[in-house]
Amino acid sequence: MNILILGSGGREHTLAWKLHQSKKLEKLFVAPGNAGTNAIAHNLAVGVNDFKGIKNAVLQHEVNMVVVGPEDPLVNGIHDYFLDDKELQHIPVIGPQKAAAALEGSKEFAKEFMCRHQIPTAAYQSFTNETIEDGFKFLESLKPPYVLKADGLAAGKGVVILEDLQKAKKELQSMLIDAKFGNASATVVIEEFLAGIELSVFVLSDGSGYKVLPTAKDYKRIGEGDVGLNTGGMGAISPVPFADQEFMSKIHQQVVVPTVEGLKKDNLPYKGFIFIGLIKVNNDPFVIEYNVRLGDPETEAVVPRIKNDLVEVFEAVANQQLNQIDLQIDERTATTVMLVSGGYPEAYEKGKVIQGHDTIEDSLVFHAGTTMNEGQVVTNGGRVMAVTSFGDDFKQALKKSYQNIEKISFDKMNYRTDIGFDL
Ligand code: AMP
Ligand code: GLY
């Protein structure tokens, strides 16, 4: 079996690492990949949204399955592109079709879906430039903080939370009238603020059956104590210690089942990962968001805990036989800590030589923003590498990651030393 993974982050290196262990795998390709995937697979210089280029690569390399990492190509319809093409339609794509990918591609669509299927979520209303006055009134009716969400994809920056009513009104104006996030903020969802602790649950769906994967919690802010600018994610822990059996069964009954059943009722075929961002409010789960892919860096903590052959699991997704898979999860805790370029998430330099990462023995090192330059591994992005370790609990696992991070260096390397501080 030849497999192509689309993407270039830590998530994709982790998937490559896991698929690479399968006896069923012959050749593994990653487009465009990074220095980590280059070491275990063939990197292809094709962008994730270059559907024609992907088609050529799939035919040239006799690819039998495509695994989609990021949301962009899914929201743009890569799965539908395969289904609509006679030469590609027999090749399974892991990742939903465009219609269901709108769960991530449109916040308004996601909110309507949740309301239609009685899935607990924050109360909301949505507005366009024609209804901006109603938006101002709605803001006035709410208590601070105010949560404003650009409807479309905005590279993870489309959610703005403000304490001050005037600033919230200004933000609404900037999104709707000044197109702050381009077309993505032509519609804005305003919702009630929910106070609680966040966690994520991952579900793998074959469109008929599903498997609940381990929970994870990520740390999104750049600063210690979860302050400062939002990043793609600075670290993650799996499982989440406070997600006990009772809470998990609430998540299952109130969120997972109605989500999977809702997709079926709405006739939205779904073969792929559903990432459910949740917040625990007084012991009850509320959905903050859906993503139609795995999380990054959650993947670096979740996937290493899956004991099954991932090729077999993906084949079961393709053939709608997921109910025949007995998912085996490592009981230990996995934690990952992201090493980032100095300055990230604002401006940062690239091309810094990375040293020591290949000397680590008792942690897994997953590459994110790295590339090869004259035989050396150099930085090539804001998030550079994730160091994943196992332990009996998250403290033990983190200790190992932090010890091993001491051995890795590049100019202006930065990371959070307080992952798990709130648990
Ligand atoms: P998102 O881009 O949808 O993941 O949202 C970014 C972050 O905003 C989430 O991870 C939450 O921390 C926060 N957030 C989103 N919606 C709400 C809400 N209704 N109440 C409180 N926090 C929220
Ligand atoms: N870590 C958050 C995300 O992947 O969206």
Side-chain angles (χ1 to χ4, degrees):
M1 169 97 133
N2 297 338
I3 299 182
L4 168 64
I5 301 172
L6 298 183
S8 60
R11 168 181 51 211
E12 287 76 21
H13 185 201
T14 310
L15 288 168
W17 166 84
K18 182 70 182 158
L19 292 170
H20 187 252
Q21 293 164 22
S22 171
K23 284 200 185 71
K24 293 192 151 184
L25 184 83
E26 278 170 54
K27 285 191 198 150
L28 185 60
F29 300 90
V30 187
N34 58 34
T37 61
N38 185 55
I40 52 172
H42 306 273
N43 282 358
L44 304 175
V46 179
V48 298
N49 288 305
D50 175 6
F51 292 2
K52 189 84 211 324
I54 292 166
K55 173 179 173 171
N56 290 340
V58 163
L59 296 178
Q60 183 191 339
H61 299 291
E62 298 178 357
V63 167
N64 309 107
M65 176 184 282
V66 177
V67 179
V68 186
E71 63 278 13
D72 260 44
L74 294 167
V75 172
N76 293 337
I78 182 84
H79 195 148
D80 312 67
Y81 178 86
F82 271 64
L83 291 175
D84 291 343
D85 188 307
K86 282 210 165 60
E87 290 177 286
L88 300 177
Q89 57 195 189
H90 63 286
I91 299 168
V93 175
I94 306 300
Q97 285 159 247
K98 188 173 184 164
L103 280 181
E104 178 163 1
S106 164
K107 303 269 186 207
E108 186 181 39
F109 177 87
K111 294 299 274 192
E112 286 170 355
F113 177 88
M114 289 184 254
C115 291
R116 190 158 60 241
H117 302 294
Q118 284 100 45
I119 296 163
T121 188
Y124 82 105
Q125 283 187 31
S126 55
F127 304 94
T128 62
N129 63 357
E130 276 152 31
T131 55
I132 189 166
E133 291 299 327
D134 300 331
F136 293 149
K137 278 187 208 134
F138 186 58
L139 283 170
E140 283 162 17
S141 77
L142 294 172
K143 278 185 270 166
Y146 305 95
V147 183
L148 288 83
K149 301 185 171 183
D151 177 58
L153 293 184
K157 297 192 170 73
V159 176
V160 181
I161 300 179
L162 294 163
E163 283 291 336
D164 181 79
L165 178 61
Q166 291 316 317
K167 283 191 182 143
K169 287 184 176 177
K170 240 183 163 162
E171 181 66 29
L172 182 63
Q173 178 148 355
S174 144
M175 284 189 181
L176 289 178
I177 310 287
D178 311 331
K180 179 176 177 186
F181 299 107
N183 200 34
S185 62
T187 298
V188 173
V189 168
I190 300 178
E191 65 181 41
E192 163 201 20
F193 180 85
L194 298 174
I197 188 159
E198 286 177 54
L199 75 156
S200 299
V201 174
F202 299 89
V203 176
L204 183 59
S205 160
D206 68 10
S208 166
Y210 66 93
K211 295 283 170 192
V212 180
L213 305 179
T215 56
K217 178 161 178 31
D218 83 336
Y219 291 81
K220 283 210 181 97
R221 305 298 189 97
I222 186 70
E224 314 254 305
D226 246 349
V227 297
L229 292 173
N230 246 327
T231 71
M234 297 293 289
I237 290 175
S238 175
V240 180
F242 63 81
D244 55 21
Q245 223 174 359
E246 188 196 340
F247 189 56
M248 283 310 290
S249 106
K250 279 190 188 175
I251 291 175
H252 194 239
Q253 284 164 28
Q254 296 172 22
V255 178
V256 175
V257 172
T259 296
V260 175
E261 290 303 319
L263 287 167
K264 283 191 234 172
K265 278 184 204 152
D266 292 351
N267 203 12
L268 295 168
Y270 204 112
K271 291 187 176 184
F273 294 100
I274 313 171
F275 164 155
I276 310 177
L278 296 161
I279 191 158
K280 182 181 176 187
V281 184
N282 303 326
N283 234 7
D284 284 313
F286 286 79
V287 177
I288 292 271
E289 61 167 351
Y290 287 110
N291 296 308
V292 296
R293 51 172 173 85
L294 282 172
D296 195 348
E298 291 91 333
T299 304
E300 290 90 305
V302 168
V303 166
R305 294 186 59 219
I306 300 173
K307 293 184 181 170
N308 301 61
D309 179 329
L310 197 58
V311 175
E312 274 174 20
V313 174
F314 284 165
E315 280 181 320
V317 171
N319 302 328
Q320 290 204 323
Q321 289 176 337
L322 210 41
N323 59 0
Q324 290 176 24
I325 295 279
D326 178 21
L327 203 64
Q328 301 285 329
I329 303 298
D330 194 321
E331 291 294 324
R332 292 174 300 166
T333 291
T335 61
T336 200
V337 179
M338 200 46 98
L339 308 181
V340 305
S341 298
Y344 172 80
E346 294 184 283
Y348 57 85
E349 295 162 27
K350 294 182 184 178
K352 309 287 185 189
V353 176
I354 305 167
Q355 274 161 333
H357 60 280
D358 46 6
T359 65
I360 311 287
E361 281 171 359
D362 54 349
S363 292
L364 299 163
V365 178
F366 295 118
H367 291 227
T370 69
T371 190
M372 296 301 293
N373 186 21
E374 295 176 356
Q376 288 183 302
V377 177
V378 301
T379 64
N380 192 40
R383 294 193 296 168
V384 174
M385 275 183 180
V387 180
T388 297
S389 309
F390 281 100
D392 292 334
D393 57 33
F394 75 89
K395 287 188 179 150
Q396 211 186 62
L398 279 169
K399 197 170 161 199
K400 217 188 277 178
S401 284
Y402 285 127
Q403 276 168 353
N404 281 323
I405 287 171
E406 295 285 316
K407 300 175 195 155
I408 305 176
S409 64
F410 58 87
D411 185 33
K412 302 199 177 82
M413 178 174 109
N414 182 28
Y415 61 93
R416 271 180 65 171
T417 62
D418 70 337
I419 300 304
F421 77 98
D422 53 346
L423 297 173

